[in-house]
Amino acid sequence: MVQENEPRGSHAVRCAEPQEAPQGDGEARAAHRAEKSSFVPASHAAPQDGSVHGRRPGSPGSANAAGINSGHDAGAAASGSGPAYRPASAPRSGPAPQRSRNGRKAALVAGCTAVAVLAVVYLAGAFTFMDRFMPRTTVMGEDVSFKTSAEVQDLLADIAKSYALDVSGQGFSLKLTSADMGTGINVQSVTDAMHADANPWAWPVEVFGSRDETDKLATSNGKLEQAVRTAVDAFNEGAVPPRNAGLDYDAGSSSFVVRAETAGTALDADRVLAAVSAAVASLEPSMTLGEDALQKPTLFADDTRLAKATDDANALLKADFNLKLADTVVARVNADQIADWMRLGDDVTVGVDEDLVAAWVQDIASACNTYQARRTFTRADGKEVTVSGGVYGWIIDKDQLKKTVMDGVRSAQAGDVAIPCEQEAGAYDGLHGRDWGKRYLDIDLAEQHARFYGDDGSLAWESDIVSGTPDGEHDTPEGVYVINGKESPSKLIGQMEPETGKPEYQTEVKAWMPFVENYIGLHDADWQPAFGGSRYASGFGSHGCVNLPVEKATALYDLIATGDVVVCHW
């Protein structure tokens, strides 16, 4: 047996040479050795002679080491294979790997804790700025940083109640109060719009910015537009509107020239409203209108289309012709007249406005249509006569006259042109003048006397008459007529009587000269014992015809012709 030096304070385990053990005692001794070897301290260095030192009880890893050693020793003892020992070359276990794992775990726990804290802070900030405004947020010069929506809404409501706007510029002046404008600010909409400018989920970035939310102010229930437009309309009543460039007629040169555009002083209501609305939206206390608020011309003198329009217009001014009724010039179509009809279109093309020509033709017709018009004239014997009605007189064909004028303008017509008529007369002396010539038959109902004037206007025939009974049914009609025909001899047939079924009368005459269709005319009446005076109103009046002595009737029949004018008057 070898005795080794044992360090002080340690427990030595001696290894003896294998010996024969008594039968039955081997297992007990092996267990005893295993128990003793499990308490060998592991902190001591292994001796050179192969003695093994174990870990101290309670030290890290001691239980595991003891279990390994105990199992090895016990197994060796049980098998009787030899002494229990740890080879010098076997690796030793220690505390370093366990400490590394614990450090990583602590770091992970700390990181997760930090992330959780940051998440809580981030979410708290996001939820805070969902209702509160970011730092450095202003509205109308008021700092609303960190204020709630409700606080800002109260602030805006107070601002709206006291708000007023002074508008001036371009000669215009208007003071608008909150009541005038109906500016009850929709505070909910405004704060919603303000919040929309900042993303609460990006608050870590947003808090470093600044924002002025004045432009988010909303206004008006419609009263603002009404107030502005009413004021602008009133202003424009005394203002000068803008004038586009165009064409002006120069009577001196009988030609068109280009006219320059002018700006004027009238305001553009839409532009004024836009400017005022912008000022109100930001609750500006005052604003000044600039020249951009004025109405603007839309066509300018340097437009090449105007140059072409000038040439086209002047080409239409070359016509010069007279319009005549009988021998009387009624109107003249020349450059001065055509210029009145010329119009420049929105497409900057020029032409004669046919509606204007039609209106002019209507004026001509109204002045020349003597049909059934009242005429006043002086008879050859000096009596002034006024007559109305009848079927004679001028009737202008307006459609044909318009066509004649338009064709004349386009073709540069010159000279005299007869006015197209539906019905013609013998002369023209104005609307209310005598429109027949020197030759005519004058029937004076007041005098109960008839006169026929020949071609030279001299008296060629005259006679007393008996006219129709003045009872409203058999009166001789007043007016200007013409002889419709002549018949000699002729039978005058009255109206049919319902009771007898026969004509009221049938009378043979030597001369029949109708002038109202074929039922009223002049004829001989041998049944009349006298003519003239007041016999027509004393029960001797006719059924409407003009009764003549036989010899006077036949003499007139020889003088008068179909188409001769008959003037029947009082």
Side-chain angles (χ1 to χ4, degrees):
M1 177 177 297
V2 178
Q3 179 75 37
E4 292 185 356
N5 292 328
E6 182 178 13
R8 185 177 298 173
S10 63
H11 300 278
V13 178
R14 295 177 175 84
C15 297
E17 294 292 329
Q19 297 181 0
E20 288 287 332
Q23 185 74 26
D25 292 338
E27 291 180 1
R29 282 193 292 269
H32 177 70
R33 284 198 301 269
E35 182 179 353
K36 288 184 65 77
S37 63
S38 66
F39 291 97
V40 176
S43 59
H44 293 276
Q48 298 273 331
D49 58 3
S51 61
V52 177
H53 298 274
R55 299 178 187 272
R56 292 175 182 166
S59 64
S62 60
N64 186 43
I68 293 172
N69 291 338
S70 295
H72 175 76
D73 291 346
S79 62
S81 60
Y85 70 95
R86 176 181 296 164
S89 61
R92 293 183 301 150
S93 62
Q98 186 67 23
R99 288 196 198 101
S100 177
R101 286 193 298 270
N102 289 343
R104 285 195 299 273
K105 183 177 181 180
L108 180 61
V109 171
C112 291
T113 301
V115 169
V117 170
L118 288 175
V120 170
V121 172
Y122 170 75
L123 292 174
F127 285 110
T128 296
F129 289 119
M130 285 181 182
D131 186 56
R132 293 182 181 271
F133 292 98
M134 296 289 179
R136 290 178 291 280
T137 300
T138 60
V139 59
M140 288 300 297
E142 296 286 339
D143 186 355
V144 295
S145 303
F146 300 107
K147 288 186 181 294
T148 65
S149 296
E151 292 170 336
V152 174
Q153 289 172 7
D154 291 341
L155 173 65
L156 293 175
D158 291 340
I159 291 174
K161 290 178 183 178
S162 59
Y163 177 63
L165 174 66
D166 284 321
V167 183
S168 61
Q170 305 304 316
F172 179 76
S173 179
L174 177 64
K175 184 175 181 65
L176 294 168
T177 65
S178 177
D180 296 330
M181 297 179 282
T183 52
I185 295 178
N186 187 337
V187 293
Q188 180 66 52
S189 296
V190 173
T191 53
D192 288 348
M194 292 168 64
H195 278 302
D197 262 1
N199 183 357
W201 298 104
W203 68 266
V205 176
E206 296 277 8
V207 295
F208 294 103
S210 62
R211 52 195 59 79
D212 184 352
E213 300 290 348
T214 301
D215 64 339
K216 297 299 183 297
L217 297 176
T219 182
S220 187
N221 57 6
K223 291 181 67 177
L224 174 62
E225 178 174 357
Q226 180 181 356
V228 171
R229 291 192 181 278
T230 299
V232 170
D233 289 345
F235 174 82
N236 283 345
E237 287 181 2
V240 178
R243 190 181 188 192
N244 282 342
L247 302 182
D248 279 346
Y249 179 69
D250 179 12
S253 63
S254 297
S255 63
F256 280 100
V257 294
V258 174
R259 179 193 68 243
E261 70 281 356
T262 56
T265 59
L267 292 172
D268 185 317
D270 290 336
R271 294 181 182 181
V272 173
L273 178 61
V276 170
S277 298
V280 171
S282 57
L283 295 182
E284 296 290 340
S286 63
M287 67 157 299
T288 302
L289 297 174
E291 289 187 359
D292 58 344
L294 295 174
Q295 295 179 14
K296 305 294 184 183
T298 57
L299 181 62
F300 300 91
D302 58 357
D303 194 314
T304 57
R305 294 175 297 173
L306 274 179
K308 183 179 185 305
T310 303
D311 293 339
D312 293 342
N314 288 329
L316 292 171
L317 299 178
K318 296 179 180 180
D320 189 353
F321 57 95
N322 296 318
L323 293 172
K324 298 178 71 175
L325 279 180
D327 294 327
T328 303
V329 174
V330 173
R332 182 181 179 186
V333 178
N334 60 6
D336 292 347
Q337 179 59 68
I338 298 169
D340 287 343
W341 301 330
M342 204 77 72
R343 288 295 179 268
L344 186 68
D346 292 338
D347 58 354
V348 200
T349 60
V350 72
V352 174
D353 188 327
E354 294 194 20
D355 289 339
L356 294 177
V357 175
W360 181 83
V361 165
Q362 179 60 57
D363 290 342
I364 294 296
S366 297
C368 296
N369 281 340
T370 59
Y371 173 76
Q372 293 192 332
R374 175 181 54 82
R375 290 93 151 182
T376 299
F377 67 100
T378 301
R379 199 167 60 194
D381 62 356
K383 180 178 180 178
E384 186 174 279
V385 177
T386 297
V387 62
S388 300
V391 297
Y392 177 84
W394 295 103
I395 301 178
I396 307 301
D397 188 331
K398 294 182 289 187
D399 290 339
Q400 283 300 313
L401 178 55
K402 176 185 172 183
K403 183 178 184 301
T404 297
V405 171
M406 292 298 299
D407 290 346
V409 170
R410 295 187 184 104
S411 64
Q413 176 74 50
D416 295 334
V417 176
I419 294 178
C421 294
E422 296 176 9
Q423 178 175 295
E424 295 185 358
Y428 177 76
D429 189 23
L431 177 62
H432 301 294
R434 175 173 169 167
D435 57 353
W436 58 89
K438 295 178 180 180
R439 179 186 176 99
Y440 79 103
L441 176 66
D442 185 280
I443 302 174
D444 194 327
L445 298 175
E447 294 179 358
Q448 289 290 288
H449 195 79
R451 299 171 179 86
F452 181 71
Y453 295 93
D455 293 337
D456 60 357
S458 62
L459 182 62
W461 173 94
E462 65 180 322
S463 174
D464 287 338
I465 64 169
V466 174
S467 62
T469 302
D471 59 3
E473 182 179 355
H474 299 101
D475 302 74
T476 300
E478 178 188 10
V480 182
Y481 303 90
V482 296
I483 296 296
N484 295 323
K486 294 167 57 177
E487 188 175 59
S488 177
S490 182
K491 181 182 285 188
L492 305 181
I493 302 174
Q495 294 181 348
M496 301 297 291
E497 292 183 338
E499 297 83 0
T500 64
K502 295 180 179 181
E504 184 179 358
Y505 60 85
Q506 295 188 56
T507 305
E508 291 282 346
V509 297
K510 292 182 178 181
W512 169 239
M513 295 161 281
F515 59 86
V516 178
E517 298 182 5
N518 195 42
Y519 68 90
I520 292 179
L522 299 103
H523 62 83
D524 53 293
D526 58 3
W527 59 89
Q528 292 280 11
F531 296 87
S534 60
R535 287 180 57 79
Y536 77 101
S538 304
F540 299 97
S542 71
H543 290 86
C545 288
V546 177
N547 291 176
L548 296 170
V550 175
E551 67 278 8
K552 289 292 186 178
T554 56
L556 179 62
Y557 187 88
D558 292 338
L559 291 172
I560 205 162
T562 300
D564 280 343
V565 175
V566 177
V567 179
C568 190
H569 62 86
W570 288 92

